[in-house]
Amino acid sequence: MGLAVAGPVGVIGGAALGPLIAEVFHKVGIEISEKYLGIRETIRVGATYSLAINKIEKEIKDGKTPRSDDFYKSKNGDRSNAETILEGTLLKARNEYEEKKIKYYSNFLANLNLNESISFEKGNTLLKIIEQLSYRQLVVLAYFETIESLNLNNWMISFTRKEELGINQDFYSELMDLYNRQLLQQAGNGISMSITALKISPFGTTMYWLLNLNEINIDESNSIQETINEINKYI
């Protein structure tokens, strides 16, 4: 995996990535590989790097095309947006202790290089959020994409008053964190002080598809439903 980072020019150049993507991956890969990486960090970066390349190759072979905007262009001597995002993603993957998230960093990279509707600014914001989310929160987003909404009536007051729910306080906290990050939103018309139902937001749906969270194992998504069922016993 470590050798995949800044792989030989012939290898990257021969990949079906398109010349601009290949140039960016090779250049940034070399820069990252020349910095100190521990064994575990090398594996994380190498996995993210190589999985992204493989996904881009597959998507291009299936008919998708690389971005044709100015994503790969340097301006006023600065690095291109593509280089900046790639380095940022690899560095965040390097420090990611929840290694199940590595696959989704690579999906993020691949899809960003193939979807010019995602601006550099939005991609950068999403990357910062991805780093701060737990893997379970990614699973929660995948779960919300499959349902119309989740009824939270009386959840807030119950978590405040019922000690039995203390064992699931971490789950409720993660749910509210997704809401505060605007990846989930209140269901129904208008916004109330008390959240009675949640659904995935347009921003959350963008995150879902950019990370291909549909690839999350169905058993992990089912575990979210099991936790919700357990909570509802005490509501």
Side-chain angles (χ1 to χ4, degrees):
M1 282 299 186
L3 293 176
V5 183
V9 178
V11 175
I12 301 297
L17 301 177
L20 293 177
I21 296 178
E23 180 182 353
V24 167
F25 268 77
H26 180 66
K27 179 180 178 181
V28 174
I30 288 176
E31 292 174 353
I32 293 293
S33 66
E34 288 178 346
K35 297 177 181 178
Y36 174 77
L37 292 175
I39 294 175
R40 202 74 219 168
E41 292 172 329
T42 300
I43 292 173
R44 292 168 188 158
V45 173
T48 304
Y49 186 91
S50 56
L51 288 171
I53 287 176
N54 290 340
K55 184 174 179 62
I56 292 170
E57 283 190 288
K58 181 181 182 303
E59 295 289 350
I60 289 177
K61 288 177 180 178
D62 288 344
K64 288 192 177 180
T65 56
R67 299 175 69 124
S68 59
D69 57 3
D70 61 357
F71 191 61
Y72 304 100
K73 294 180 181 178
S74 299
K75 298 178 181 178
N76 301 319
D78 293 333
R79 295 193 307 168
S80 68
N81 290 337
E83 292 175 67
T84 301
I85 285 285
L86 175 56
E87 180 175 354
T89 305
L90 293 178
L91 291 178
K92 291 184 187 304
R94 179 195 66 179
N95 298 322
E96 183 54 67
Y97 63 91
E98 283 195 281
E99 293 181 349
K100 282 187 175 182
K101 288 174 61 180
I102 294 299
K103 175 182 180 181
Y104 302 101
Y105 279 111
S106 68
N107 287 347
F108 168 81
L109 272 179
N111 289 323
L112 197 63
N113 277 276
L114 300 170
N115 186 349
E116 62 186 59
S117 70
I118 305 297
S119 67
F120 167 76
E121 291 76 17
K122 179 175 284 189
N124 201 38
T125 296
L126 287 166
L127 177 57
K128 291 177 181 178
I129 293 174
I130 294 166
E131 178 191 26
Q132 295 166 351
L133 296 180
S134 69
Y135 178 72
R136 183 167 65 171
Q137 286 177 300
L138 298 185
V139 180
V140 170
L141 271 184
Y143 169 80
F144 267 88
E145 184 65 25
T146 67
I147 65 171
E148 183 175 345
S149 64
L150 174 64
N151 184 355
L152 295 181
N153 197 31
N154 293 325
W155 274 43
M156 184 178 294
I157 191 169
S158 295
F159 269 96
T160 301
R161 297 183 178 180
K162 297 186 178 181
E163 293 183 3
E164 301 92 333
L165 288 172
I167 193 172
N168 293 120
Q169 190 73 50
D170 57 321
F171 178 79
Y172 183 57
S173 175
E174 288 192 320
L175 204 61
M176 291 300 99
D177 183 58
L178 289 171
Y179 171 74
N180 290 331
R181 295 182 189 277
Q182 300 181 33
L183 296 170
L184 299 178
Q185 66 182 32
Q186 293 191 44
N189 297 321
I191 297 177
S192 62
M193 293 298 293
S194 178
I195 301 173
T196 58
L198 283 177
K199 65 179 182 179
I200 195 166
S201 68
F203 193 48
T205 297
T206 297
M207 176 79 84
Y208 174 87
W209 288 113
L210 198 57
L211 272 62
N212 290 130
L213 295 181
N214 55 306
E215 296 176 1
I216 283 178
N217 187 288
I218 187 65
D219 290 337
E220 293 183 301
S221 187
N222 288 341
S223 71
I224 300 301
Q225 184 62 63
E226 292 171 4
T227 300
I228 291 169
N229 292 343
E230 184 67 26
I231 291 170
N232 281 333
K233 291 179 183 178
Y234 300 100
I235 300 299

